[in-house]
Amino acid sequence: MRFTRHAKNKARWLRMSLADVEGVIAHPAHMGRDEDGKPQYVGEVRGVSVRVVLALDEPDLIVTIHRRRH
């Protein structure tokens, strides 16, 4: 997997390793698409629920990571 600079910064801000992010994609609790059709994966890392969004035209490129609110 490749990460945009933005995604790397978001992972660092959320105190997640790049392997943690890849783990969410490999074993998601939920998969779907955002309003633009980009694939998104939802999972939990050390008790924090996160959403990982991939590029629409490059499925191996992680564009952003968001902390989810319940």
Side-chain angles (χ1 to χ4, degrees):
M1 303 287 323
R2 296 178 305 126
F3 291 74
T4 62
R5 180 181 296 173
H6 173 78
K8 286 181 183 178
N9 288 338
K10 291 290 279 194
R12 190 173 22 254
W13 186 80
L14 292 168
R15 300 182 190 267
M16 297 172 55
S17 70
L18 302 184
D20 290 334
V21 177
E22 290 175 338
V24 170
I25 294 168
H27 305 288
H30 175 74
M31 293 171 34
R33 296 201 174 262
D34 70 6
E35 59 278 351
D36 296 326
K38 292 184 211 119
Q40 59 183 4
Y41 299 82
V42 175
E44 200 167 291
V45 176
R46 290 183 301 285
V48 176
S49 182
V50 295
R51 179 171 52 105
V52 179
V53 181
L54 278 60
L56 184 60
D57 57 344
E58 295 183 59
D60 68 330
L61 180 64
I62 298 169
V63 294
T64 193
I65 306 156
H66 297 283
R67 184 177 187 155
R68 292 191 68 230
R69 295 181 185 97
H70 296 282

